[in-house]
Amino acid sequence: MKVLVIGSGGREHALVWKIRQSPRVSHVLCAPGNAGIGELADLVSIAPDDIAALARFARDEQVDLTVVGPELPLTMGIVDEFQRQDLRIFGPSRDGAQLEGSKAFTKDLLRRHEIPTGFFSTFTDADEAKRYISEVGPPIVVKADGLAAGKGVLICTEVKEAHQAVDEIMVSRLFGDAGQRVVIEEFLEGEEVSFIALTDGRTVVPLASSQDHKRAFDGDSGPNTGGMGAYSPAPAMTAELHDQVMRKIMQPVVDALRAAKIDYRGVLYAGLMMTEAGPKVLEFNSRFGDPECQPLMMRLRSDVVELMEACIDGRLDQVRVDWDPRAAACVVLAAAGYPGNYEKGKVIRGLDGLRQWTTGFVFHAGTAQRGGQVVTNGGRVLGVTALGTTVDDAVAEAYRGVAKIQWDGMHFRSDIGHRAIAHGS
Ligand code: AMP
Ligand code: GLY
């Protein structure tokens, strides 16, 4: 089989790494990829949002399966277009991807089906949004409706701050068209957990539990990022909570989408808050989490291609997913300044010393090849991922890998896994 992966982050490197291990796969391509992916797959220089060019390529090259990493092509309808051309592709349809692409769509769906989430209201008028904020009072969360690269969420502790947030999103259009509508939402307190599952539109197969670290700095301080590290399993996800999440959230959402005649086959990722009243939905993503995908692919023993095909063909009720009983942890190494402005083109040293690493792997995100050297080419640069008997051991092993890598301005969190370790894993 010939498989094309779309994207260029640590998530896509982990997917390419795992897809290559499938006995059914002879050839992996990646558009556009990065320096690390280039060692495992043929890189194709097409942007993830150039759907017409990707479809043409898949047809001309007789690609058997296309796997979409990031959300943007999904919300643009890449799956619908590939299906129109009879090309096999893994991911939800454009309507399905609204679950990530529109917070208002998702909140309405959750409310209609009485799926646990914070109270909220949606506005297209800034003054009405502000009146609602004054009525409800702080703390309150103001969200741009559309995709805003993870930045469109403002948690406000004062009315004035929340009013300003509405102006930034709706009037100044800080996040562009994503701010045509705002969702004003209850502030939920508790521990945050990622719940990632596969679905064929009917059956939901949960993947191993995982947890990421969204804030830039140690102690969960600083601005939100795409994720500075992750680990699996997440001890916060007890068997009882897992059961509750499946019964009250995951299965009902998939059933609700099917009832609405929305084709949702692919990854369903719920961001949940474990509140005193039980798990509640913060958001959904229609793709694998990054960096969560890195520890997950490292622990997955089953053939990932088999699982993806079962989603596409509606046979997920017949699959079994096997996991390495060991834990895995990923530490993200980022460029100085990330998640704000950062420089590119810094030479990365130490990668060769980790080539023979048997208990870990360095997944690349923002990297490029330049004159025989690997240089930084993005905000999140590498995901140093390792296995260990416990999360604690996996984290320690990942940091042993981190200690070998260096570039000018490299920064990372030194407390990845601290919550799991506090849970006594
Ligand atoms: P989202 O993109 O909706 O996941 O929001 C990004 C981050 O903001 C989440 O990972 C949470 O840490 C935080 N967040 C979002 N919504 C809420 C909420 N209703 N209450 C508390 N924190 C929230
Ligand atoms: N790590 C969070 C995300 O992928 O959205």
Side-chain angles (χ1 to χ4, degrees):
M1 257 177 101
K2 212 170 180 180
V3 181
L4 169 66
V5 174
I6 296 174
S8 59
R11 167 181 52 213
E12 288 76 20
H13 194 183
L15 288 170
V16 165
W17 176 82
K18 184 66 192 164
I19 288 167
R20 271 237 328 187
Q21 294 169 21
S22 167
R24 304 173 50 203
V25 172
S26 54
H27 195 168
V28 186
L29 303 138
C30 185
N34 58 38
I37 295 174
E39 296 188 7
L40 303 175
D42 288 341
L43 301 187
V44 183
S45 149
I46 304 176
D49 60 353
D50 192 348
I51 293 172
L54 289 166
R56 203 175 316 122
F57 178 83
R59 214 180 39 236
D60 291 349
E61 293 295 317
Q62 299 183 324
V63 168
D64 299 295
L65 173 67
T66 298
V67 175
V68 187
E71 61 277 16
L72 184 61
L74 294 170
T75 58
M76 290 171 67
I78 190 169
V79 170
D80 312 59
E81 181 55 30
F82 270 55
Q83 283 172 351
R84 244 192 310 279
Q85 301 193 30
D86 266 337
L87 294 163
R88 255 168 107 69
I89 185 161
F90 174 75
S93 66
R94 179 191 188 133
D95 286 349
Q98 282 185 87
L99 216 48
E100 173 157 8
S102 168
K103 293 181 192 296
F105 166 85
T106 300
K107 291 293 268 187
D108 282 336
L109 185 92
L110 294 173
R111 175 146 66 193
R112 267 188 285 119
H113 294 270
E114 296 178 10
I115 296 167
T117 189
F119 68 74
F120 73 100
S121 201
T122 303
F123 300 92
T124 48
D125 181 276
D127 290 331
E128 281 177 29
K130 289 183 196 169
R131 261 198 302 281
Y132 180 74
I133 289 168
S134 302
E135 257 170 57
V136 177
I140 193 108
V141 184
V142 181
K143 298 184 174 181
D145 174 49
L147 288 183
K151 298 192 185 111
V153 174
L154 299 153
I155 294 170
C156 305
T157 49
E158 286 173 40
V159 169
K160 201 171 133 214
E161 191 189 350
H163 284 184
Q164 255 168 17
V166 169
D167 281 334
E168 282 172 8
I169 293 173
M170 301 194 82
V171 184
S172 315
R173 289 293 170 97
L174 202 56
F175 311 107
D177 286 347
Q180 277 172 359
R181 277 197 289 191
V182 285
V183 175
I184 312 287
E185 185 178 299
E186 179 184 7
F187 173 75
L188 297 174
E189 268 179 289
E191 185 167 341
E192 217 177 311
V193 174
S194 314
F195 196 102
I196 305 180
L198 298 178
T199 181
D200 59 7
R202 197 170 286 273
T203 303
V204 182
V205 172
L207 300 183
S209 62
S210 62
Q211 172 76 63
D212 75 343
H213 292 264
K214 289 207 164 65
R215 301 297 196 94
F217 307 125
D218 283 0
D220 293 325
S221 64
N224 261 326
T225 69
M228 293 299 289
Y231 53 90
S232 170
M237 186 49 68
T238 59
E240 190 195 332
L241 277 174
H242 175 101
D243 183 56
Q244 260 187 52
V245 171
M246 283 296 286
R247 265 188 307 112
K248 297 196 174 157
I249 296 173
M250 303 303 279
Q251 192 66 54
V253 166
V254 168
D255 292 343
L257 290 166
R258 191 174 66 252
K261 304 229 175 323
I262 291 175
D263 180 12
Y264 200 106
R265 286 175 281 169
V267 179
L268 179 60
Y269 164 150
L272 304 172
M273 193 66 96
M274 299 298 154
T275 73
E276 279 181 359
K280 292 189 178 179
V281 176
L282 290 175
E283 60 157 357
F284 280 107
N285 296 319
S286 51
R287 36 127 190 125
F288 283 108
D290 191 6
E292 294 96 316
C293 189
Q294 301 174 50
L296 286 177
M297 287 305 121
M298 196 165 270
R299 291 190 64 212
L300 182 63
R301 281 193 170 154
S302 309
D303 181 347
V304 73
V305 175
E306 192 71 48
L307 297 177
M308 289 170 171
E309 294 217 289
C311 286
I312 297 172
D313 297 332
R315 304 183 266 108
L316 213 46
D317 56 338
Q318 292 160 34
V319 307
R320 240 189 69 133
V321 189
D322 290 323
W323 297 96
D324 191 321
R326 288 175 293 177
C330 166
V331 177
V332 170
L333 306 184
Y338 175 79
N341 293 333
Y342 51 82
E343 282 182 61
K344 296 181 180 178
K346 306 283 181 200
V347 175
I348 304 172
R349 292 177 215 289
L351 291 170
D352 281 340
L354 287 163
R355 282 186 186 276
Q356 306 305 323
W357 197 11
T358 49
T359 47
F361 195 84
V362 181
F363 293 114
H364 289 217
T367 68
Q369 275 284 351
R370 203 182 60 191
Q373 288 178 312
V374 177
V375 298
T376 67
N377 193 39
R380 290 191 291 173
V381 177
L382 298 170
V384 182
T385 308
L387 289 163
T389 312
T390 60
V391 172
D392 205 353
D393 292 338
V395 166
E397 184 62 13
Y399 280 114
R400 273 193 284 277
V402 168
K404 302 206 161 100
I405 300 172
Q406 187 53 53
W407 75 81
D408 181 17
M410 167 176 127
H411 85 89
F412 59 89
R413 279 184 60 165
S414 61
D415 63 349
I416 297 307
H418 66 91
R419 265 169 301 179
I421 293 161
H423 273 278
S425 104

